[in-house]
Amino acid sequence: MRRLYQRHHLLKCLSALAGLSRWLIGLTFVAGGMTKAADPAGMALKLGSYADALGLHALFHASPLIGNGAATALGTAEWMLGISLLCGFKRASTLRLTLGVMMAMTGLTVWLYVASPISDCGCFGEAIRLTNGQTLAKNIVLLACSLFLLTRLRHRLQLSITAEYGHFALLSTLCFAVVTALYSLHFLPVADFGPYVKGTDIQAAFDSTPDTDDNRPSTGDADASGITGAHPLNFYVYRADTGEDLTFELLADTSYTFLLTLPETQTADDGTCDRIADLYDLCTDRRIHFYMATAADSAGIAEWKDLTGANYPILCAEETELRAMVRSNPGLLLLKDGVVVNKWSCNNLPDADRPATIFIAAPDHRPLLGGGWKALGWYLVIITLIVIADRLRIAILFYQHHIYFKRLKPLHTMRKKIVAGNWKMNLNLQEGVALAKELNAALTADKPACDVVICTPFIHLASVAAEIDPALIGLGAENCADKVKGAYTGEVSAEQVKSTGATYVILGHSERRAYYHETPEILKEKVNLALANGLKVIFCIGEVLEEREAEKQNDVVKAQLEGSLFDLSAEEFKSIILAYEPVWAIGTGKTATAEQAEEMHAFIRATIADKFGADAAENVSILYGGSCKPSNAKEIFAKPNVDGGLIGGAALKAADFKGIIDAWKD
Ligand code: PGA
């Protein structure tokens, strides 16, 4: 009793651990994916740093599409994987993929930690910055969790969305992530976690930064993501023509100042020059300062002037800082009193004809631009509704079956509890007879609380029949021919089996399916002949390991039932006993958990109900087989849809077999 309690306690702890690991990895992935999709331009800069460190500069920077596309794909994939984990969608494949991703990521962060080519990995964009050491520690923990989850705890995960609804959740995530990324690329990041978020007091941040030559702008700063690490802001501007430092003058200006940011000219969008010119005219009329700040060299500046007819004053600034100010090329920043009042992408520049709309933006510290929160809220609502709908559907199905069976139950006798032994190709005649005698004596002395059957090789049948009390022990064969009689050397017909005194036969065992190529059609013939000769059939079904890992076990088992039994009449079906034997558990010592057995037995019963009606489903005994032992039988048999066991190895010793039979006693 104490051991049972301890075991129960341990199982509960394992389930909690599995849940915790799943939430830890899932939420990390979702957060990482969201921050990347919310600011793909920032992530593209970070990926550019990786490409540079790997010597792939030319390839990566061939087109901005490469960086933006890679950042969008990465964020979307990470987000989807996180949601799959949290919803429990296709658990086996998701956990395998998670482990693969974590192995690759940990390898990458070991490199970052050792070689330090980049100061911050960019896992969470600019929302959370981790040092390389912190990232490595985080990834080691997540790797350990995913390894543990896949190898030991997979079956302990509680919530598991069905495939149909899981696809909806993933599709919603895919759409939402891609739309978020495209929106952020076209306008500005929906979540601005950067150093120049609206409302930032550059003057104050600047005052707190020691003014050393090290944080003066220099070309080619190590990390191109705008994250310089040593100080929060690197806001320095000076005149392109005279070299005069305008930083403090600009920050001290108590009226509005526009700063058109142009990190570089090669990929800059020059299609908005008319709008910019109109704005500049408006500013000139109203005596508002308007500058362009760029990192382009003099040739680039001349080219830009040529292209756009720009005649506003031009300042020089560092490229990484300009990209951090506004994620657009060109972008527009509105400053007042050294504070970021507003910012615009080149695709959404303010309209000079409506000046009232330009200067009203209230300075605040919103990390998400207005619509971002709402969209995120909608996304969460959609995912929650999908999960709730899935749970409800399962609950309704379960409830319907429950009510259905409950109504019918009083009309019928309870189905039989059975423990059947399958000796396979073990024991010679004398050993077999001795075992049968020993078992018969043991059960005579201590009556079983269930039906007991032993299925032996053909050569034992007649002799064993003479030794056992048919009221205590049923006798069965392990196979019979698919032919009635005749020239089939070595075969034993159903009629011959019956003539020995046997009343059962095992058909469809996985060993016969695998080694003797017994197809569903052959088995159908055997079943028909066995029934025609008055034998009861213990019909085995079950999936192999690969099928379970691909989560196809239900389909496999259903196909096995359909292929060999679904042509029977409801009357004939009464002589069938089913045995669910997951092939990966047979003779391997690896038992299915009681929950796995129950889940499958309930599915089998529901499948039988669909085909033969609730009455047949309620009355058919479904046995579990596969490394069943005296130590685990009680837990498995306690499940409502498990009606006993088909026992291999443990049926070869009277004491072990009796131990399993006794699992039916209180
Ligand atoms: P096992 O075999 O109990 O040795 O795993 C079960 C069976 O094959 O029926």
Side-chain angles (χ1 to χ4, degrees), residues 422 424 509 511 581 585-588 625-628 646-649:
N422 173 12
K424 306 193 180 181
H509 194 280
E511 286 149 16
E581 297 202 310
I586 296 178
T588 57
S627 299
C628 196
L646 179 56
I647 319 299

Side-chain angles (χ1 to χ4, degrees), residues 103-123:
M103 281 165 71
M105 286 308 186
T106 311
L108 186 75
T109 40
V110 167
W111 171 60
L112 285 187
Y113 184 68
V114 174
S116 244
I118 291 160
S119 59
D120 160 50
C121 68
C123 314

